[in-house]
mmCIF file of all heavy atoms in Angstrom:
data_model
loop_
_atom_site.group_PDB
_atom_site.id
_atom_site.type_symbol
_atom_site.label_atom_id
_atom_site.label_comp_id
_atom_site.label_asym_id
_atom_site.label_seq_id
_atom_site.Cartn_x
_atom_site.Cartn_y
_atom_site.Cartn_z
ATOM 1 N N GLU A 1 0.852 -1.187 0.000
ATOM 2 C CA GLU A 1 0.000 0.000 0.000
ATOM 3 C C GLU A 1 0.892 1.242 0.000
ATOM 4 O O GLU A 1 1.750 1.400 0.876
ATOM 5 C CB GLU A 1 -0.906 -0.015 1.242
ATOM 6 C CG GLU A 1 -1.649 1.268 1.533
ATOM 7 C CD GLU A 1 -2.572 1.686 0.410
ATOM 8 O OE1 GLU A 1 -3.555 0.965 0.133
ATOM 9 O OE2 GLU A 1 -2.296 2.739 -0.201
ATOM 10 N N ASP A 2 0.702 2.142 -0.994
ATOM 11 C CA ASP A 2 1.581 3.307 -1.093
ATOM 12 C C ASP A 2 1.148 4.469 -0.207
ATOM 13 O O ASP A 2 1.918 5.417 -0.021
ATOM 14 C CB ASP A 2 1.720 3.765 -2.545
ATOM 15 C CG ASP A 2 0.417 4.273 -3.132
ATOM 16 O OD1 ASP A 2 -0.645 3.769 -2.724
ATOM 17 O OD2 ASP A 2 0.460 5.161 -4.001
ATOM 18 N N GLU A 3 -0.061 4.428 0.346
ATOM 19 C CA GLU A 3 -0.465 5.438 1.325
ATOM 20 C C GLU A 3 0.144 5.031 2.671
ATOM 21 O O GLU A 3 -0.375 4.151 3.369
ATOM 22 C CB GLU A 3 -1.989 5.519 1.428
ATOM 23 C CG GLU A 3 -2.656 6.029 0.155
ATOM 24 C CD GLU A 3 -4.160 6.110 0.309
ATOM 25 O OE1 GLU A 3 -4.625 6.519 1.395
ATOM 26 O OE2 GLU A 3 -4.880 5.739 -0.633
ATOM 27 N N ILE A 4 1.247 5.678 3.023
ATOM 28 C CA ILE A 4 2.034 5.230 4.177
ATOM 29 C C ILE A 4 1.223 5.273 5.469
ATOM 30 O O ILE A 4 1.289 4.341 6.281
ATOM 31 C CB ILE A 4 3.314 6.072 4.302
ATOM 32 C CG1 ILE A 4 4.219 5.811 3.084
ATOM 33 C CG2 ILE A 4 4.059 5.740 5.594
ATOM 34 C CD1 ILE A 4 5.468 6.655 3.049
ATOM 35 N N ASN A 5 0.443 6.304 5.676
ATOM 36 C CA ASN A 5 -0.358 6.390 6.902
ATOM 37 C C ASN A 5 -1.360 5.244 6.994
ATOM 38 O O ASN A 5 -1.563 4.669 8.068
ATOM 39 C CB ASN A 5 -1.080 7.730 6.982
ATOM 40 C CG ASN A 5 -0.136 8.889 7.229
ATOM 41 O OD1 ASN A 5 0.969 8.700 7.737
ATOM 42 N ND2 ASN A 5 -0.553 10.092 6.874
ATOM 43 N N LEU A 6 -1.982 4.917 5.857
ATOM 44 C CA LEU A 6 -2.933 3.805 5.845
ATOM 45 C C LEU A 6 -2.218 2.491 6.111
ATOM 46 O O LEU A 6 -2.694 1.655 6.886
ATOM 47 C CB LEU A 6 -3.669 3.754 4.507
ATOM 48 C CG LEU A 6 -4.623 2.568 4.305
ATOM 49 C CD1 LEU A 6 -5.687 2.528 5.392
ATOM 50 C CD2 LEU A 6 -5.264 2.628 2.917
ATOM 51 N N ALA A 7 -1.067 2.297 5.478
ATOM 52 C CA ALA A 7 -0.304 1.058 5.684
ATOM 53 C C ALA A 7 0.094 0.901 7.142
ATOM 54 O O ALA A 7 0.007 -0.195 7.716
ATOM 55 C CB ALA A 7 0.924 1.051 4.789
ATOM 56 N N GLU A 8 0.528 1.995 7.763
ATOM 57 C CA GLU A 8 0.918 1.928 9.174
ATOM 58 C C GLU A 8 -0.278 1.645 10.073
ATOM 59 O O GLU A 8 -0.175 0.868 11.032
ATOM 60 C CB GLU A 8 1.593 3.240 9.574
ATOM 61 C CG GLU A 8 2.973 3.428 8.942
ATOM 62 C CD GLU A 8 3.612 4.752 9.308
ATOM 63 O OE1 GLU A 8 2.906 5.605 9.911
ATOM 64 O OE2 GLU A 8 4.799 4.942 9.004
ATOM 65 N N ALA A 9 -1.416 2.255 9.752
ATOM 66 C CA ALA A 9 -2.620 2.008 10.545
ATOM 67 C C ALA A 9 -3.063 0.548 10.425
ATOM 68 O O ALA A 9 -3.410 -0.096 11.427
ATOM 69 C CB ALA A 9 -3.747 2.941 10.101
ATOM 70 N N LEU A 10 -3.046 0.014 9.207
ATOM 71 C CA LEU A 10 -3.413 -1.384 8.999
ATOM 72 C C LEU A 10 -2.451 -2.312 9.739
ATOM 73 O O LEU A 10 -2.875 -3.311 10.339
ATOM 74 C CB LEU A 10 -3.404 -1.712 7.509
ATOM 75 C CG LEU A 10 -4.554 -1.155 6.678
ATOM 76 C CD1 LEU A 10 -4.304 -1.417 5.193
ATOM 77 C CD2 LEU A 10 -5.877 -1.776 7.106
ATOM 78 N N SER A 11 -1.173 -1.982 9.706
ATOM 79 C CA SER A 11 -0.179 -2.803 10.403
ATOM 80 C C SER A 11 -0.491 -2.883 11.886
ATOM 81 O O SER A 11 -0.455 -3.966 12.489
ATOM 82 C CB SER A 11 1.228 -2.239 10.199
ATOM 83 O OG SER A 11 1.619 -2.311 8.855
ATOM 84 N N GLN A 12 -0.806 -1.749 12.489
ATOM 85 C CA GLN A 12 -1.098 -1.735 13.922
ATOM 86 C C GLN A 12 -2.365 -2.517 14.244
ATOM 87 O O GLN A 12 -2.420 -3.262 15.239
ATOM 88 C CB GLN A 12 -1.234 -0.282 14.414
ATOM 89 C CG GLN A 12 0.064 0.499 14.385
ATOM 90 C CD GLN A 12 1.169 -0.179 15.172
ATOM 91 O OE1 GLN A 12 0.986 -0.599 16.322
ATOM 92 N NE2 GLN A 12 2.340 -0.307 14.550
ATOM 93 N N ILE A 13 -3.385 -2.372 13.411
ATOM 94 C CA ILE A 13 -4.638 -3.105 13.623
ATOM 95 C C ILE A 13 -4.394 -4.608 13.580
ATOM 96 O O ILE A 13 -4.857 -5.369 14.441
ATOM 97 C CB ILE A 13 -5.674 -2.696 12.557
ATOM 98 C CG1 ILE A 13 -6.158 -1.267 12.807
ATOM 99 C CG2 ILE A 13 -6.859 -3.674 12.543
ATOM 100 C CD1 ILE A 13 -6.915 -0.662 11.643
ATOM 101 N N LEU A 14 -3.640 -5.057 12.581
ATOM 102 C CA LEU A 14 -3.402 -6.489 12.412
ATOM 103 C C LEU A 14 -2.489 -7.038 13.504
ATOM 104 O O LEU A 14 -2.676 -8.164 13.976
ATOM 105 C CB LEU A 14 -2.809 -6.760 11.032
ATOM 106 C CG LEU A 14 -3.753 -6.479 9.865
ATOM 107 C CD1 LEU A 14 -3.013 -6.585 8.546
ATOM 108 C CD2 LEU A 14 -4.945 -7.429 9.885
ATOM 109 N N LYS A 15 -1.509 -6.245 13.921
ATOM 110 C CA LYS A 15 -0.624 -6.706 14.998
ATOM 111 C C LYS A 15 -1.387 -6.873 16.305
ATOM 112 O O LYS A 15 -1.094 -7.780 17.091
ATOM 113 C CB LYS A 15 0.542 -5.732 15.172
ATOM 114 C CG LYS A 15 1.571 -5.829 14.047
ATOM 115 C CD LYS A 15 2.653 -4.772 14.170
ATOM 116 C CE LYS A 15 3.654 -4.874 13.029
ATOM 117 N NZ LYS A 15 4.681 -3.815 13.078
ATOM 118 N N LYS A 16 -2.382 -6.015 16.542
ATOM 119 C CA LYS A 16 -3.211 -6.159 17.742
ATOM 120 C C LYS A 16 -4.026 -7.451 17.706
ATOM 121 O O LYS A 16 -4.437 -7.966 18.749
ATOM 122 C CB LYS A 16 -4.140 -4.957 17.894
ATOM 123 C CG LYS A 16 -3.425 -3.697 18.347
ATOM 124 C CD LYS A 16 -4.389 -2.527 18.495
ATOM 125 C CE LYS A 16 -3.650 -1.273 18.935
ATOM 126 N NZ LYS A 16 -4.569 -0.107 19.054
ATOM 127 N N GLN A 17 -4.261 -7.975 16.496
ATOM 128 C CA GLN A 17 -4.953 -9.259 16.336
ATOM 129 C C GLN A 17 -3.958 -10.423 16.320
ATOM 130 O O GLN A 17 -4.321 -11.542 16.022
ATOM 131 C CB GLN A 17 -5.758 -9.253 15.035
ATOM 132 C CG GLN A 17 -6.828 -8.172 14.964
ATOM 133 C CD GLN A 17 -7.890 -8.341 16.022
ATOM 134 O OE1 GLN A 17 -8.402 -9.440 16.224
ATOM 135 N NE2 GLN A 17 -8.234 -7.249 16.708
ATOM 136 N N HIS A 18 -2.700 -10.128 16.625
ATOM 137 C CA HIS A 18 -1.624 -11.125 16.732
ATOM 138 C C HIS A 18 -1.220 -11.732 15.387
ATOM 139 O O HIS A 18 -0.737 -12.862 15.342
ATOM 140 C CB HIS A 18 -1.987 -12.222 17.743
ATOM 141 C CG HIS A 18 -2.317 -11.685 19.097
ATOM 142 N ND1 HIS A 18 -1.413 -10.964 19.845
ATOM 143 C CD2 HIS A 18 -3.458 -11.747 19.836
ATOM 144 C CE1 HIS A 18 -1.981 -10.610 20.986
ATOM 145 N NE2 HIS A 18 -3.215 -11.053 21.003
ATOM 146 N N TYR A 19 -1.411 -10.956 14.311
ATOM 147 C CA TYR A 19 -0.817 -11.346 13.043
ATOM 148 C C TYR A 19 0.589 -10.747 12.974
ATOM 149 O O TYR A 19 0.842 -9.664 13.512
ATOM 150 C CB TYR A 19 -1.626 -10.808 11.858
ATOM 151 C CG TYR A 19 -3.004 -11.399 11.697
ATOM 152 C CD1 TYR A 19 -4.135 -10.669 12.053
ATOM 153 C CD2 TYR A 19 -3.183 -12.681 11.181
ATOM 154 C CE1 TYR A 19 -5.412 -11.201 11.899
ATOM 155 C CE2 TYR A 19 -4.450 -13.218 11.022
ATOM 156 C CZ TYR A 19 -5.559 -12.480 11.388
ATOM 157 O OH TYR A 19 -6.818 -13.007 11.236
ATOM 158 N N SER A 20 1.502 -11.438 12.304
ATOM 159 C CA SER A 20 2.790 -10.847 11.962
ATOM 160 C C SER A 20 2.602 -10.082 10.652
ATOM 161 O O SER A 20 1.945 -10.592 9.738
ATOM 162 C CB SER A 20 3.857 -11.932 11.791
ATOM 163 O OG SER A 20 4.058 -12.630 12.999
ATOM 164 N N VAL A 21 3.163 -8.880 10.566
ATOM 165 C CA VAL A 21 2.857 -8.000 9.443
ATOM 166 C C VAL A 21 4.135 -7.379 8.876
ATOM 167 O O VAL A 21 5.008 -6.923 9.625
ATOM 168 C CB VAL A 21 1.907 -6.860 9.876
ATOM 169 C CG1 VAL A 21 1.557 -5.971 8.672
ATOM 170 C CG2 VAL A 21 0.648 -7.416 10.507
ATOM 171 N N ASP A 22 4.227 -7.366 7.540
ATOM 172 C CA ASP A 22 5.225 -6.577 6.829
ATOM 173 C C ASP A 22 4.471 -5.627 5.905
ATOM 174 O O ASP A 22 3.434 -6.002 5.335
ATOM 175 C CB ASP A 22 6.151 -7.465 5.997
ATOM 176 C CG ASP A 22 7.008 -8.381 6.864
ATOM 177 O OD1 ASP A 22 7.485 -7.922 7.910
ATOM 178 O OD2 ASP A 22 7.197 -9.553 6.487
ATOM 179 N N ALA A 23 4.978 -4.409 5.759
ATOM 180 C CA ALA A 23 4.339 -3.433 4.869
ATOM 181 C C ALA A 23 5.378 -2.836 3.932
ATOM 182 O O ALA A 23 6.473 -2.458 4.370
ATOM 183 C CB ALA A 23 3.663 -2.330 5.678
ATOM 184 N N VAL A 24 5.036 -2.770 2.646
ATOM 185 C CA VAL A 24 5.886 -2.125 1.649
ATOM 186 C C VAL A 24 5.025 -1.146 0.862
ATOM 187 O O VAL A 24 3.793 -1.259 0.846
ATOM 188 C CB VAL A 24 6.558 -3.146 0.716
ATOM 189 C CG1 VAL A 24 7.490 -4.057 1.500
ATOM 190 C CG2 VAL A 24 5.523 -3.982 -0.033
ATOM 191 N N HIS A 25 5.701 -0.199 0.183
ATOM 192 C CA HIS A 25 4.952 0.926 -0.375
ATOM 193 C C HIS A 25 5.110 1.120 -1.876
ATOM 194 O O HIS A 25 4.652 2.132 -2.414
ATOM 195 C CB HIS A 25 5.361 2.207 0.365
ATOM 196 C CG HIS A 25 5.307 2.073 1.850
ATOM 197 N ND1 HIS A 25 4.143 1.774 2.527
ATOM 198 C CD2 HIS A 25 6.292 2.147 2.789
ATOM 199 C CE1 HIS A 25 4.406 1.701 3.829
ATOM 200 N NE2 HIS A 25 5.695 1.907 4.014
ATOM 201 N N ASP A 26 5.767 0.186 -2.565
ATOM 202 C CA ASP A 26 5.819 0.279 -4.026
ATOM 203 C C ASP A 26 5.651 -1.111 -4.622
ATOM 204 O O ASP A 26 5.871 -2.129 -3.952
ATOM 205 C CB ASP A 26 7.106 0.931 -4.512
ATOM 206 C CG ASP A 26 8.334 0.070 -4.290
ATOM 207 O OD1 ASP A 26 8.565 -0.855 -5.088
ATOM 208 O OD2 ASP A 26 9.061 0.318 -3.313
ATOM 209 N N GLY A 27 5.285 -1.126 -5.909
ATOM 210 C CA GLY A 27 4.912 -2.378 -6.548
ATOM 211 C C GLY A 27 6.036 -3.384 -6.676
ATOM 212 O O GLY A 27 5.848 -4.575 -6.434
ATOM 213 N N GLN A 28 7.223 -2.935 -7.049
ATOM 214 C CA GLN A 28 8.320 -3.882 -7.250
ATOM 215 C C GLN A 28 8.719 -4.558 -5.947
ATOM 216 O O GLN A 28 8.937 -5.769 -5.910
ATOM 217 C CB GLN A 28 9.532 -3.165 -7.857
ATOM 218 C CG GLN A 28 10.680 -4.108 -8.218
ATOM 219 C CD GLN A 28 10.276 -5.161 -9.227
ATOM 220 O OE1 GLN A 28 9.831 -4.828 -10.334
ATOM 221 N NE2 GLN A 28 10.420 -6.441 -8.883
ATOM 222 N N GLU A 29 8.801 -3.777 -4.871
ATOM 223 C CA GLU A 29 9.123 -4.370 -3.574
ATOM 224 C C GLU A 29 8.011 -5.310 -3.128
ATOM 225 O O GLU A 29 8.262 -6.358 -2.539
ATOM 226 C CB GLU A 29 9.360 -3.277 -2.532
ATOM 227 C CG GLU A 29 9.949 -3.810 -1.236
ATOM 228 C CD GLU A 29 10.307 -2.709 -0.244
ATOM 229 O OE1 GLU A 29 10.062 -1.523 -0.553
ATOM 230 O OE2 GLU A 29 10.829 -3.048 0.839
#
């Protein structure tokens, strides 16, 4: 997700549900 604030918010939500999360912000990565 290239919207960094959204990606960070989603990461925090999922981590609170005990998922392991990685976030990247461009297509190739």
Side-chain angles (χ1 to χ4, degrees):
E1 168 60 65
D2 65 329
E3 294 181 40
I4 295 176
N5 290 338
L6 175 58
E8 290 178 351
L10 286 173
S11 295
Q12 292 304 312
I13 289 166
L14 293 172
K15 287 175 181 177
K16 286 180 181 179
Q17 300 297 313
H18 304 299
Y19 293 105
S20 297
V21 182
D22 294 320
V24 297
H25 310 300
D26 69 80
Q28 185 60 58
E29 191 175 2

